[in-house]
Amino acid sequence: MKLLCVAFSEAELPVCGGLAASLGAEFDVLLVHGSAGAGYGAAQVMTLGATEAPTADVLAPCVAAAAVGYSHVVAVSSMATKDLMARAAGLVGAAMVTDVVRFEAPNRFVRPILAGSVLATVETLVEPVFLTFRAAGIVPAEAGSAVAVAAAPPLGPELATRVATTVRGGSRPDLAQAKCVVTGGRPLQDAETFERVIGGLADRLGAAVGATRAAVDSGIAPNELQVGQTGKIVAPDLYIAAGVSGSTQHVAGIKDSKAIVAINKDPDAPIFETADLGLVADLFEAIPEIVAKLGPKE
Ligand SMILES: Cc1cc2nc3c(=O)[nH]c(=O)nc-3n(C[C@H](O)[C@H](O)[C@H](O)COP(=O)(O)OP(=O)(O)OC[C@H]3O[C@@H](n4cnc5c(N)ncnc54)[C@H](O)[C@@H]3O)c2cc1C
């Protein structure tokens, strides 16, 4: 197996290296933004040095051209990589598999379907295979020594123009990559309360903020914070769910978290079946108390 790992930033290299190491495969990287100091086991890093995130249609021809000679072209699962990799696979007539959680053979992969309640095993019939994989459970590779750098193939023509990019969530960690996530549900009432209570605890812990779909649909939290089957899949070391009922659709997005803590005033809430630690309490009393006990951030 020879992997090409498509990474949007250097932060994804440890997990790319970890995946390659777990498969005993050699790998190169196509890095969209920035430059790589260390390779995390990669033989070569092809850099694009893009300043703005290129749209998937612009990036796909570059990925397709770079794919020559590789058995697998892989990327960490996200909305952006599913869009990109499907287009690149289409350009070279390759197979495409999303959300791989296990490699059973070079052409056989396990991926969750039906909100994670069923694991499907799929086989691809052609090479290369384009796939996105879930980073949860992969042991990140060590930085290693400096890596050979080459220029990536050129970007394709622009078929659509990005009119505006709005970064929400400010300086908080990226939800999909964060080590700690604090999520709030429908009881948070409004955006201001959500930001004060959930955002306050998250900032104290250096955590990302997440939301349930009910919170998003009620206008309490922005869409990009939604966690679950139709939102982001997260796998932090610590997931704190406050005022979250624990629907199957929500749990589908959090069940790979290392530790789940639930704060819910209903002792029969389903979230307690998933949680490692449960606190039966009113979140509007419990969270300020937790923040007060943690004290000011150093
Ligand atoms: C096709 C489909 C896809 C979906 N995808 C997703 C998804 O990706 N993510 C997602 O989250 N949902 C998703 N849903 C919606 C999901 O079914 C639930 O409706 C949603 O997760 C419920 O959100 P919630 O827990 O915030 O709200 P609720 O179900 O209203 O639960 C609120 C909880 O807060 C507790 N509570 C109330 N007040 C307090 C308080 N003061 N202190 C402490 N606890 C309190 C209550 O006891 C309750 O358990 C999807 C649904 C469908 C049909």
Side-chain angles (χ1 to χ4, degrees):
M1 288 171 85
K2 190 173 180 200
L3 271 50
L4 175 65
C5 184
V6 180
F8 277 87
S9 75
E10 204 182 347
E12 293 169 29
L13 298 191
V15 81
C16 292
L19 175 72
S22 70
L23 298 170
E26 53 178 308
F27 79 109
D28 295 332
V29 174
L30 196 166
L31 183 61
V32 177
H33 295 289
S35 56
Y40 296 85
Q44 174 182 250
V45 175
M46 290 177 256
T47 54
L48 256 172
T51 43
E52 281 230 352
T55 54
D57 52 356
V58 172
L59 200 46
C62 161
V63 174
V68 177
Y70 296 95
S71 60
H72 299 72
V73 184
V74 306
V76 175
S77 279
S78 69
M79 297 302 271
T81 56
K82 282 176 198 170
D83 188 5
L84 168 65
M85 300 291 269
R87 289 166 190 263
L91 287 173
V92 296
M96 167 77 190
V97 187
T98 56
D99 287 332
V100 169
V101 292
R102 197 163 71 237
F103 286 64
E104 292 209 325
N107 70 333
R108 193 175 327 120
F109 313 96
V110 177
R111 59 184 300 271
I113 57 170
L114 300 173
S117 53
V118 175
L119 290 175
T121 303
V122 295
E123 262 186 18
T124 53
L125 305 176
V126 291
E127 265 198 9
V129 183
F130 284 64
L131 60 86
T132 68
F133 65 96
R134 293 211 181 157
I138 292 178
V139 180
E142 298 289 329
S145 47
V147 66
V149 176
L155 294 168
E158 198 171 60
L159 306 177
T161 303
R162 182 175 285 108
V163 178
T165 308
T166 312
V167 179
R168 318 270 298 255
S171 57
R172 286 180 187 140
D174 176 45
L175 185 53
Q177 313 271 341
K179 294 211 173 312
C180 180
V181 174
V182 183
T183 284
R186 199 193 317 253
L188 271 301
Q189 298 161 355
D190 54 48
E192 190 276 321
T193 312
F194 182 90
E195 176 53 29
R196 180 171 45 79
V197 178
I198 301 298
L201 178 57
D203 289 344
R204 178 59 193 81
L205 296 171
V209 170
T212 64
R213 180 158 148 181
V216 170
D217 288 350
S218 320
I220 296 169
N223 188 47
E224 63 270 19
L225 297 189
Q226 185 179 317
V227 174
Q229 179 189 339
T230 44
K232 297 217 166 92
I233 307 289
V234 300
D237 292 342
L238 176 61
Y239 186 84
I240 302 176
V244 173
S245 58
S247 64
T248 49
Q249 294 91 353
H250 188 79
V251 169
I254 68 168
K255 60 184 169 40
D256 289 327
S257 304
K258 291 210 175 78
I260 297 174
V261 174
I263 306 170
N264 195 305
K265 67 179 185 185
D266 175 5
D268 296 324
I271 190 71
F272 289 128
E273 289 162 26
T274 308
D276 299 285
L277 194 70
L279 178 62
V280 179
D282 186 323
L283 72 91
F284 295 107
E285 291 167 13
I287 290 185
E289 209 178 314
I290 293 168
V291 172
K293 285 217 165 103
L294 286 168
K297 203 170 176 187
E298 280 155 23

